[in-house]
Amino acid sequence: MRKSNRASIILAVTFAVVFAASNVRPQSEGSDDQRWTELDGAGGKAFAEGRVPDAEKAWKSALQLAERFGPEDGRLIISLNNLAELYQNQGKYPDAEPYQKRALALLEKRLGPEHALVLQSLNSLAKLYWTHGKYAEAEPLTRKLLAIVEKIAGPEDPDVAQILNNLAEVYKAQRKYADAEATHKRALAIREKSFGAEDPEVAQSLNNLAELYKTQGRNSEAEPFYKRSLAIGEKVFGAEHPEVATIQLKYAEILRKMNRKAEAEKLEAQAKAIRAKQAKGTP
């Protein structure tokens, strides 16, 4: 479960676009409205420039003003989301959580449970819990997100596969291995149907299943998934790609556990050669 800084900024901009029209009102110089706009912009500029303390200060001041506009005002949601994203990017998950939860509640009330922004916010909160190791809290949110996206996009949509992948990892973290296996297999089937048998996303699902089996010591079951994932990686990325080396090392690990030392050593040597070549070519 990952989210880049760029994705966070795009999300904030999307909020602004959605809520701008409903927040238009007569403004006078020095009004709360104008001041909120200035603080929001200053926080965004500081965040983009890496001046995190300045961004935090500006966005907290913007939130104080937004509270005066009332719970139905979209600027309150923007300010809450900004601070949640700021703290998540710093790894301050307990600080981010109340802002993200409140933003989600306000979004659901204002836009309904199936709006795209609600789904993004729901996904962000699930990711926050996941990253913070609060898997029991992440699970129901991910299941809720899955149900909504299945309803909107259909049960075999690629977005459903990605959510299934996330849910399976939540199950795995809680040692719900049977649930994780069934969920990863469903994600794999959707991706194979959507993208074909040799797509990188298919390789991701194969690798996830292999890792799940390895975690349980089911090495003989993990092997064919690693083998197929490696074949896709070599075809798609080329035999000397760093991703290929990563798969080779994981594959070699279970081969050693299965007492297939010669095969493991061959893969390890190939991975070592790839990484040495990469390091040599790096300035």
Side-chain angles (χ1 to χ4, degrees):
M1 291 187 168
R2 295 175 304 190
K3 193 172 189 176
S4 68
N5 291 349
R6 182 177 178 82
S8 301
I9 292 168
I10 291 171
L11 180 59
V13 170
T14 305
F15 278 132
V17 170
V18 169
F19 293 128
S22 61
N23 290 324
V24 173
R25 64 182 68 184
Q27 295 182 358
S28 60
E29 188 174 354
S31 69
D32 285 348
D33 302 89
Q34 182 64 32
R35 183 60 180 152
W36 180 88
T37 300
E38 292 170 355
L39 288 167
D40 181 64
K45 185 175 186 294
F47 182 73
E49 294 174 353
R51 295 183 286 110
V52 174
D54 292 337
E56 181 180 11
K57 182 179 179 180
W59 278 341
K60 278 190 171 180
S61 296
L63 176 60
Q64 289 179 339
L65 284 177
E67 297 282 9
R68 302 179 189 176
F69 303 144
E72 298 299 319
D73 194 284
R75 288 166 294 184
L76 177 58
I77 297 173
I78 293 173
S79 291
L80 290 166
N81 180 74
N82 285 342
L83 285 165
E85 294 294 321
L86 177 76
Y87 291 129
Q88 284 193 65
N89 275 279
Q90 296 177 79
K92 296 180 178 179
Y93 304 114
D95 292 332
E97 181 180 342
Y99 293 105
Q100 190 68 59
K101 287 176 69 174
R102 190 175 170 205
L104 174 60
L106 291 172
L107 277 168
E108 286 182 318
K109 182 177 180 180
R110 177 162 180 161
L111 301 176
E114 297 179 4
H115 193 280
L117 287 181
V118 174
L119 299 183
Q120 288 184 46
S121 186
L122 185 60
N123 190 47
S124 293
L125 183 57
K127 286 181 178 181
L128 187 154
Y129 284 138
W130 159 263
T131 310
H132 191 36
K134 300 176 75 170
Y135 306 117
E137 288 85 349
E139 180 183 335
L141 292 177
T142 310
R143 290 172 64 89
K144 179 179 178 180
L145 179 65
L146 175 64
I148 296 171
V149 175
E150 283 180 319
K151 178 182 176 182
I152 295 171
E156 295 185 346
D157 188 86
D159 285 341
V160 170
Q162 183 57 53
I163 299 168
L164 286 167
N165 177 76
N166 294 345
L167 180 58
E169 291 300 304
V170 170
Y171 285 142
K172 179 184 173 184
Q174 298 177 88
R175 300 187 178 185
K176 297 180 178 180
Y177 295 131
D179 290 332
E181 180 178 359
T183 306
H184 269 316
K185 283 185 173 179
R186 186 182 163 204
L188 172 61
I190 293 172
R191 285 172 166 173
E192 286 178 323
K193 184 173 181 179
S194 298
F195 305 124
E198 296 181 339
D199 188 86
E201 291 198 31
V202 171
Q204 182 196 45
S205 285
L206 292 167
N207 191 67
N208 288 340
L209 277 162
E211 289 288 300
L212 177 64
Y213 291 136
K214 184 178 75 172
T215 298
Q216 300 172 77
R218 297 163 63 182
N219 297 316
S220 61
E221 293 174 79
E223 187 206 351
F225 290 95
Y226 276 132
K227 186 176 182 179
R228 188 177 160 201
S229 177
L230 177 59
I232 295 172
E234 289 175 333
K235 182 170 183 178
V236 173
F237 301 118
E240 296 183 348
H241 194 278
E243 287 292 329
V244 170
T246 299
I247 301 169
Q248 286 172 331
L249 291 173
K250 291 179 178 180
Y251 190 1
E253 185 180 345
I254 64 155
L255 289 174
R256 282 192 175 277
K257 291 178 180 179
M258 296 168 67
N259 298 316
R260 292 163 60 177
K261 183 179 177 182
E263 294 172 78
E265 288 179 343
K266 182 179 179 181
L267 286 173
E268 287 165 349
Q270 290 172 348
K272 184 178 179 180
I274 292 171
R275 291 188 169 180
K277 188 172 182 179
Q278 283 294 125
K280 187 176 180 181
T282 302

